[in-house]
């Protein structure tokens, strides 16, 4: 794996169904080689990694909003 070129993704590949083709192309690897290298480095597939990243972003977004605290509800509302 020492033959891999370092790369910088200037525009993030976010929330695509299948980011592997674009990412592999950006660093000059085949899709299968990228998939195997990604899994060897991270311990998970690109798809699982993307899913976990989405969940982390969603959790962080909820923590930063009123959705989790209920503070957007009126105090006079009979249903809490």
């Amino acid at each position: 794996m020492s033959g891999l070129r370092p790369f910088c993704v200037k525009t993030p590949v976010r929330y695509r169904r299948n980011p592997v083709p674009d990412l592999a192309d950006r660093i000059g690897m085949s899709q299968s080689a990228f998939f195997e290298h990604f899994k060897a480095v991270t311990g998970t597939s690109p798809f699982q990694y993307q899913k976990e990243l989405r969940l982390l972003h969603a959790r962080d977004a909820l923590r930063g909003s009123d959705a989790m605290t209920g503070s957007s509800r009126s105090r006079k509302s009979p249903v809490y």
Side-chain angles (χ1 to χ4, degrees):
M1 301 290 169
S2 62
L4 294 177
R5 305 178 289 173
F7 70 98
C8 176
V9 177
K10 293 180 182 176
T11 53
V13 179
R14 294 180 140 197
Y15 308 128
R16 290 188 179 173
R17 273 269 189 238
N18 185 359
V20 172
D22 190 37
L23 292 173
D25 186 53
R26 287 183 185 202
I27 59 173
M29 296 176 80
S30 70
Q31 292 180 36
S32 59
F34 176 82
F35 185 92
E36 293 204 14
H37 181 71
F38 190 95
K39 191 162 185 168
V41 170
T42 65
T44 188
S45 73
F47 309 108
Q48 185 65 34
Y49 185 87
Q50 184 182 36
K51 184 170 83 170
E52 290 172 9
L53 190 60
R54 285 178 179 170
L55 290 171
L56 286 173
H57 285 194
R59 183 191 67 203
D60 291 345
L62 287 172
R63 283 185 177 166
S65 73
D66 291 337
M68 293 292 285
T69 63
S71 61
S72 63
R73 293 183 184 148
S74 169
R75 296 277 183 212
K76 296 178 182 179
S77 174
V79 180
Y80 277 82

